[in-house]
Every structure is written in structure tokens, then in C-alpha cells.
Amino acid sequence: GFNRRRLFIMRTMGYLIKRNMKLFFKDKGMLISSLITPIILLVLYITFLGRVYKDIFIQNFPESFEIDDKLINGFVSSQLFSSLFAVSCITISFCNNLIMIQDKVTGANNDFITSPVRKPLIIGSYYFSTIFSSSIICFLAMIVCFIYMGIVGWYLSVIDVLLIMLDIVLLVLFGTTLSTILCYPLKTQGQMSAVGTMISSGYGFICGAYMPISQFGSVLQNILSFFPSTYATSLIRNHTMRGIIFEMEEIGFPNEVVTNIKNSVDYNTYFFGNLVEVWQMYLILGGFIIIFIMFFIVFYKIKLRNRKKIS
């Protein structure tokens, strides 16, 4: 009956998700690849970004103005945190989803096709296993970052922590949906490596993680304001830095200075001069996730229809 069929679907989906997750975590090369971006960001931070973030912060004050080191370190670490996850949630999702291509390369996909398991179920298992595996890695990295922030300067409230967790889940969903669209047509190891390299190296610049978009020219700022990645970065930055911004206001920093700081680090994000509110960022990011899912479904149905015509 219907209940038996539904139970079969759930069990099969669970088995496939578990299988994909095991493959990912057992494959040391793929696991290390997913961690390359966070490692690169940490190296960049130690050698370059930390100093840049600090200079961006200090340049908003007169030379004679004294600022507590804890406040500076808290500001820099919160900006690093947001930059790290704005990129890593996406790149880790891409690396996870490469299991889909790997199965095509090894021929495992052919075994699935000849089995009684329907193809949408197989694709769905890749999607959900990517979400679960990526979330595990991101939440473990989040704990490490929280420990670091606790050492150098903690300004987060419980609400901030919960909102950061929500942001990470949304970014993983965004990354998984985007990677599913881009990875599904790929069939070779070379294509897989090329896509992984492009995303790992280029996404951080597009989303404003390596360098705030406010530091770019006005034309490029306007172009990037059409990209959902811009608002994804600003969203998590709002929640990692909200506590420290509040602390600045409490200490008595001038409103103009606080506004300049918000603008300089993309805490405030603008669409052609209009300030984008946090709730609007959620709508933009959630909207694009839904649009990407619908696009993939339409793309898959068209491809399936074309195959039936050919056969």
C-alpha cells in the first residue's frame, strides 16, 4: 500500500544519504579539498587580512584616539569569522557535492540507474547528504572560531549565536543548491577539478569575503549588488559584528564614526544607494535558494524529456 511505499522511499533515501556521507568523510583527498578554503583564509588572515581589517577599523579614528586592544581584536576576529563562513559554507558544499560526479566517473551511477531506485531519489540523496556533511564541518569550524573569539574578545549574545547558526544553515543550503545545478551536468574528473578550483579561488572575491565590496569602485559595487552572495556575506557579518557595534555605541563612539565602520566592512549593504535591511537579506537569500531549486527541477525534467525522445 501507500504507507509501505513511503517507508521504502524513506529507508532508501536514508541508506543513500548515509552512503554518500561515508564516501565523503572516508575520502581524505576530498575532505582535505573542502578544508583548503578555510585554511587559505586563515593563512591570509595571519599574513595579510588581519592587518587590513585592523587598518580599516583604525582609519575611521583620529591618530590621538585611544582604542582598547580587546575591542580591536574583537572587531577583527568577528570580521574574519564572517569572511571565513561566507566562503567556506559554499566551497565545502561544492566539495561535498562532487560525490555526484565521482559516481559518474567510477561507474557507480550506472548501478543506481539499473536498480529499482528512481533517479529523483538518487539526486535527492546527493542534495541532502551534501547539506548534512557540510553542516557538520561548518558547525565544527564554528565552535573553533567561537573559542578563538572568546580568547581575543567576545561580544556575542545568545541571540547572535543562534542567528549565526541559522545563517550557516542558509549558506549551506544556498551552496548546496548552487553546486547541484553546476555539478549535475559534469561527467569527468577534469571538469570536477576545474569547477572546484574556480569556486575555491574566485568566490571569495565575488562575495566580498577577502576584501569588503565597499572598497571596490562604485560600478563594481553596483554590479555585485545583483549577486545573492553579496547579501549572504553581509547577513552573517551583521550577526558576528552586531555585539561589537553595540559596544562601540555604548562606549560613546560618534554616530558618524560607527556608520563609517559599518559601511567600510559591508555591515551595511546598499543596492544603488539604498540600504538593504537584514530581513530583506533573508528574503533575497531564501528567494534565490527557491529559484535555484525550481530551475534545477525544470532543467532536470527537460533533460529527461529529451532523453525519452531520443530513445
Side-chain angles (χ1 to χ4, degrees), residues 35-46:
L35 297 173
I36 282 177
T37 301
I39 291 168
I40 289 172
L41 266 174
L42 286 172
V43 172
L44 279 172
Y45 169 68
I46 294 167

Side-chain angles (χ1 to χ4, degrees), residues 208-261:
Y210 298 153
M211 185 66 68
I213 291 172
S214 62
Q215 307 299 310
F216 300 156
S218 59
V219 175
L220 189 54
Q221 285 183 43
N222 289 333
I223 292 170
L224 293 176
S225 67
F226 286 98
F227 289 34
S229 54
T230 299
Y231 306 103
T233 304
S234 184
L235 186 63
I236 194 166
R237 190 154 288 173
N238 264 266
H239 297 138
T240 57
M241 304 187 75
R242 190 172 68 165
I244 199 147
I245 293 293
F246 179 76
E247 181 68 18
M248 291 176 197
E249 292 170 343
E250 284 289 297
I251 291 172
F253 282 20
N255 290 333
E256 186 181 347
V257 171
V258 174
T259 302
N260 287 339
I261 290 171

Side-chain angles (χ1 to χ4, degrees), residues 159-202:
I159 294 173
D160 291 331
V161 172
L162 293 174
L163 287 171
I164 288 167
M165 292 172 70
L166 174 62
D167 295 341
I168 289 173
V169 171
L170 272 174
L171 283 167
V172 168
L173 277 170
F174 176 68
T176 301
T177 309
L178 184 61
S179 64
T180 300
I181 292 171
L182 294 179
C183 291
Y184 180 72
L186 306 182
K187 296 178 181 178
T188 67
Q189 196 82 30
Q191 291 172 341
M192 181 173 75
S193 301
V195 169
T197 302
M198 282 193 298
I199 295 298
S200 297
S201 58

Side-chain angles (χ1 to χ4, degrees), residues 5 25 61 103 130 159 179 250 290 296-297:
R5 179 177 173 77
F25 285 106
F61 301 92
D103 281 347
T130 298
I159 294 173
S179 64
E250 284 289 297
I290 293 169
F296 178 77
I297 291 170

